CSV table of all heavy atoms in Angstrom, one decimal:
chain,number,residue,atom,x,y,z
R,56,ALA,N,103.0,104.7,98.5
R,56,ALA,CA,102.4,103.4,98.7
R,56,ALA,C,102.3,103.2,100.2
R,56,ALA,O,103.2,102.7,100.8
R,56,ALA,CB,103.2,102.3,98.0
R,58,ALA,N,101.9,101.8,103.6
R,58,ALA,CA,102.3,100.4,104.1
R,58,ALA,C,101.1,99.9,104.9
R,58,ALA,O,101.0,100.2,106.1
R,58,ALA,CB,103.5,100.4,104.9
R,60,LYS,N,100.2,97.2,106.2
R,60,LYS,CA,100.2,96.3,107.4
R,60,LYS,C,100.1,97.1,108.7
R,60,LYS,O,99.8,96.5,109.7
R,60,LYS,CB,101.5,95.4,107.3
R,60,LYS,CG,102.8,96.1,107.7
R,60,LYS,CD,103.9,95.1,107.6
R,60,LYS,CE,105.3,95.7,108.1
R,60,LYS,NZ,105.9,96.6,107.2
R,61,ALA,N,100.4,98.4,108.6
R,61,ALA,CA,100.3,99.2,109.9
R,61,ALA,C,98.8,99.3,110.3
R,61,ALA,O,98.5,99.3,111.5
R,61,ALA,CB,100.9,100.6,109.6
R,79,ASP,N,101.5,99.5,99.8
R,79,ASP,CA,102.5,98.5,99.9
R,79,ASP,C,101.9,97.3,100.6
R,79,ASP,O,101.5,97.4,101.7
R,79,ASP,CB,103.7,99.1,100.8
R,79,ASP,CG,104.7,98.1,101.2
R,79,ASP,OD1,105.0,97.2,100.5
R,79,ASP,OD2,105.1,98.2,102.4
R,81,VAL,N,102.0,93.0,101.6
R,81,VAL,CA,102.9,91.9,101.9
R,81,VAL,C,102.3,90.5,101.9
R,81,VAL,O,102.9,89.6,102.3
R,81,VAL,CB,103.6,92.2,103.3
R,81,VAL,CG1,104.5,93.4,103.3
R,81,VAL,CG2,102.5,92.3,104.4
R,102,ALA,N,105.8,93.6,98.7
R,102,ALA,CA,107.1,93.2,99.3
R,102,ALA,C,106.9,91.9,100.1
R,102,ALA,O,105.8,91.3,100.2
R,102,ALA,CB,107.5,94.3,100.3
R,103,GLY,N,107.9,91.4,100.7
R,103,GLY,CA,107.9,90.3,101.6
R,103,GLY,C,108.7,89.1,101.1
R,103,GLY,O,108.8,88.9,99.9
R,123,ASN,N,108.4,93.8,94.8
R,123,ASN,CA,109.7,94.0,95.4
R,123,ASN,C,110.4,92.7,95.8
R,123,ASN,O,110.0,92.1,96.7
R,123,ASN,CB,109.6,95.0,96.6
R,123,ASN,CG,109.1,96.4,96.2
R,123,ASN,OD1,109.5,96.8,95.1
R,123,ASN,ND2,108.3,97.0,97.0
R,125,GLU,N,112.8,89.8,96.9
R,125,GLU,CA,113.7,89.7,98.0
R,125,GLU,C,114.7,88.6,97.9
R,125,GLU,O,115.6,88.4,98.8
R,125,GLU,CB,112.9,89.5,99.3
R,125,GLU,CG,111.8,90.5,99.5
R,125,GLU,CD,111.8,91.2,100.8
R,125,GLU,OE1,112.8,91.1,101.6
R,125,GLU,OE2,110.9,92.0,101.1
R,149,ARG,N,114.8,94.2,96.0
R,149,ARG,CA,115.0,94.9,97.3
R,149,ARG,C,116.4,94.6,97.8
R,149,ARG,O,116.9,93.5,97.9
R,149,ARG,CB,114.1,94.3,98.3
R,149,ARG,CG,114.3,94.8,99.7
R,149,ARG,CD,113.2,94.4,100.7
R,149,ARG,NE,113.4,95.0,102.0
R,149,ARG,CZ,112.5,94.8,103.0
R,149,ARG,NH1,111.4,94.1,102.8
R,149,ARG,NH2,112.8,95.3,104.2
R,164,THR,N,115.5,96.1,109.6
R,164,THR,CA,115.3,95.2,108.4
R,164,THR,C,116.5,95.3,107.4
R,164,THR,O,116.5,94.5,106.5
R,164,THR,CB,114.0,95.4,107.7
R,164,THR,OG1,113.9,96.8,107.3
R,164,THR,CG2,112.8,95.1,108.6
R,171,PHE,N,115.8,90.2,105.2
R,171,PHE,CA,115.2,91.0,104.1
R,171,PHE,C,116.2,91.3,103.0
R,171,PHE,O,117.4,91.6,103.3
R,171,PHE,CB,114.6,92.2,104.7
R,171,PHE,CG,113.5,91.9,105.6
R,171,PHE,CD1,113.7,92.0,107.0
R,171,PHE,CD2,112.2,91.6,105.2
R,171,PHE,CE1,112.7,91.7,107.9
R,171,PHE,CE2,111.2,91.3,106.1
R,171,PHE,CZ,111.4,91.4,107.4
R,197,HIS,N,114.5,98.8,95.3
R,197,HIS,CA,113.8,99.0,96.6
R,197,HIS,C,114.7,98.8,97.8
R,197,HIS,O,115.6,98.0,97.7
R,197,HIS,CB,112.6,98.0,96.6
R,197,HIS,CG,111.8,98.0,97.9
R,197,HIS,ND1,111.8,96.9,98.8
R,197,HIS,CD2,111.1,98.9,98.5
R,197,HIS,CE1,111.0,97.2,99.8
R,197,HIS,NE2,110.5,98.4,99.7
R,199,HIS,N,114.2,99.1,102.3
R,199,HIS,CA,113.4,99.5,103.5
R,199,HIS,C,114.3,99.0,104.7
R,199,HIS,O,114.4,97.8,104.9
R,199,HIS,CB,112.0,98.9,103.5
R,199,HIS,CG,111.3,99.1,104.8
R,199,HIS,ND1,110.8,100.3,105.2
R,199,HIS,CD2,111.1,98.2,105.8
R,199,HIS,CE1,110.2,100.1,106.4
R,199,HIS,NE2,110.4,98.9,106.8
R,201,GLY,N,114.1,99.7,108.1
R,201,GLY,CA,113.5,99.5,109.4
R,201,GLY,C,112.4,100.5,109.7
R,201,GLY,O,112.0,101.3,108.9
R,202,SER,N,112.0,100.4,110.9
R,202,SER,CA,110.8,101.1,111.3
R,202,SER,C,111.1,102.0,112.6
R,202,SER,O,112.0,101.7,113.3
R,202,SER,CB,109.7,100.2,111.6
R,202,SER,OG,108.4,100.8,111.5
R,203,GLN,N,110.3,103.0,112.8
R,203,GLN,CA,110.4,103.9,113.9
R,203,GLN,C,111.8,104.5,114.0
R,203,GLN,O,112.5,104.6,115.0
R,203,GLN,CB,110.1,103.1,115.2
R,203,GLN,CG,110.1,103.9,116.5
R,203,GLN,CD,109.2,105.1,116.5
R,203,GLN,OE1,108.3,105.3,115.7
R,203,GLN,NE2,109.4,106.1,117.4
R,204,LEU,N,112.3,105.0,112.8
R,204,LEU,CA,113.5,105.7,112.7
R,204,LEU,C,113.4,107.1,113.2
R,204,LEU,O,112.4,107.8,112.8
R,204,LEU,CB,114.1,105.7,111.2
R,204,LEU,CG,114.9,104.5,110.8
R,204,LEU,CD1,114.1,103.2,110.8
R,204,LEU,CD2,115.5,104.7,109.5
R,237,GLY,N,111.2,102.9,100.7
R,237,GLY,CA,110.5,102.2,101.8
R,237,GLY,C,109.8,103.2,102.7
R,237,GLY,O,109.6,104.4,102.4
R,238,GLY,N,109.6,102.7,103.9
R,238,GLY,CA,108.9,103.6,104.9
R,238,GLY,C,109.9,103.7,106.1
R,238,GLY,O,111.1,103.8,105.9
R,239,GLY,N,109.3,103.8,107.3
R,239,GLY,CA,110.2,103.8,108.5
R,239,GLY,C,110.3,105.0,109.3
R,239,GLY,O,110.9,105.0,110.4
R,240,LEU,N,109.7,106.1,108.8
R,240,LEU,CA,109.8,107.3,109.6
R,240,LEU,C,109.1,107.1,111.0
R,240,LEU,O,108.0,106.6,111.0
R,240,LEU,CB,109.1,108.5,108.9
R,240,LEU,CG,109.6,109.9,109.1
R,240,LEU,CD1,111.1,110.0,108.9
R,240,LEU,CD2,108.8,110.9,108.2
R,241,GLY,N,109.8,107.5,112.1
R,241,GLY,CA,109.2,107.3,113.4
R,241,GLY,C,108.2,108.3,113.8
R,241,GLY,O,107.9,109.2,113.1
R,273,GLU,N,107.0,104.3,101.2
R,273,GLU,CA,106.0,103.4,101.8
R,273,GLU,C,105.8,103.7,103.3
R,273,GLU,O,106.1,102.8,104.2
R,273,GLU,CB,106.5,101.9,101.7
R,273,GLU,CG,106.9,101.5,100.3
R,273,GLU,CD,107.6,100.2,100.2
R,273,GLU,OE1,108.3,99.8,101.1
R,273,GLU,OE2,107.5,99.5,99.1
R,274,PRO,N,105.3,104.9,103.6
R,274,PRO,CA,105.1,105.2,105.0
R,274,PRO,C,103.9,104.4,105.6
R,274,PRO,O,102.9,104.2,104.9
R,274,PRO,CB,104.8,106.7,105.0
R,274,PRO,CG,104.2,106.9,103.7
R,274,PRO,CD,104.9,106.0,102.7
R,275,GLY,N,104.0,104.0,106.8
R,275,GLY,CA,102.9,103.3,107.5
R,275,GLY,C,102.7,104.0,108.8
R,275,GLY,O,101.8,104.8,109.0
R,276,ARG,N,103.6,103.7,109.8
R,276,ARG,CA,103.4,104.2,111.1
R,276,ARG,C,103.3,105.7,111.2
R,276,ARG,O,102.4,106.2,111.9
R,276,ARG,CB,104.7,103.8,111.9
R,276,ARG,CG,104.6,104.1,113.4
R,276,ARG,CD,106.0,103.9,114.1
R,276,ARG,NE,106.6,102.6,113.7
R,276,ARG,CZ,106.4,101.5,114.4
R,276,ARG,NH1,105.7,101.5,115.5
R,276,ARG,NH2,107.0,100.4,114.0
R,277,SER,N,104.1,106.4,110.4
R,277,SER,CA,104.0,107.9,110.5
R,277,SER,C,102.7,108.5,110.0
R,277,SER,O,102.3,109.6,110.3
R,277,SER,CB,105.2,108.5,109.7
R,277,SER,OG,105.2,108.1,108.3
R,371,ALA,N,98.9,102.4,114.6
R,371,ALA,CA,99.8,101.6,113.7
R,371,ALA,C,100.2,100.3,114.5
R,371,ALA,O,100.6,100.4,115.6
R,371,ALA,CB,101.0,102.4,113.3
R,372,TYR,N,100.1,99.2,113.7
R,372,TYR,CA,100.5,97.9,114.3
R,372,TYR,C,99.7,97.6,115.6
R,372,TYR,O,100.3,97.0,116.6
R,372,TYR,CB,102.0,97.8,114.5
R,372,TYR,CG,102.8,98.2,113.3
R,372,TYR,CD1,103.4,99.4,113.1
R,372,TYR,CD2,102.8,97.3,112.2
R,372,TYR,CE1,104.0,99.8,111.9
R,372,TYR,CE2,103.4,97.6,111.0
R,372,TYR,CZ,104.0,98.9,110.9
R,372,TYR,OH,104.7,99.2,109.7
M,1,PLP,C1,106.6,97.6,107.4
M,1,PLP,C2,107.1,98.1,106.1
M,1,PLP,C3,106.9,99.5,105.7
M,1,PLP,C4,106.3,100.5,106.7
M,1,PLP,O1,107.1,100.8,107.7
M,1,PLP,P1,106.7,102.0,108.7
M,1,PLP,O2,107.8,102.0,109.7
M,1,PLP,O3,105.4,101.6,109.3
M,1,PLP,O4,106.6,103.2,108.0
M,1,PLP,C5,107.3,99.9,104.5
M,1,PLP,N1,107.9,99.0,103.6
M,1,PLP,C6,108.1,97.7,103.9
M,1,PLP,C7,108.7,96.9,102.9
M,1,PLP,C8,107.7,97.2,105.1
M,1,PLP,O5,107.9,96.0,105.4
Side-chain angles (χ1 to χ4, degrees):
K60 74 179 189 287
D79 164 40
V81 293
N123 292 324
E125 307 233 11
R149 177 171 180 174
T164 54
F171 297 99
H197 174 243
H199 169 75
S202 202
Q203 185 53 16
L204 273 66
L240 208 56
E273 305 170 332
R276 188 190 310 271
S277 56
Y372 308 103

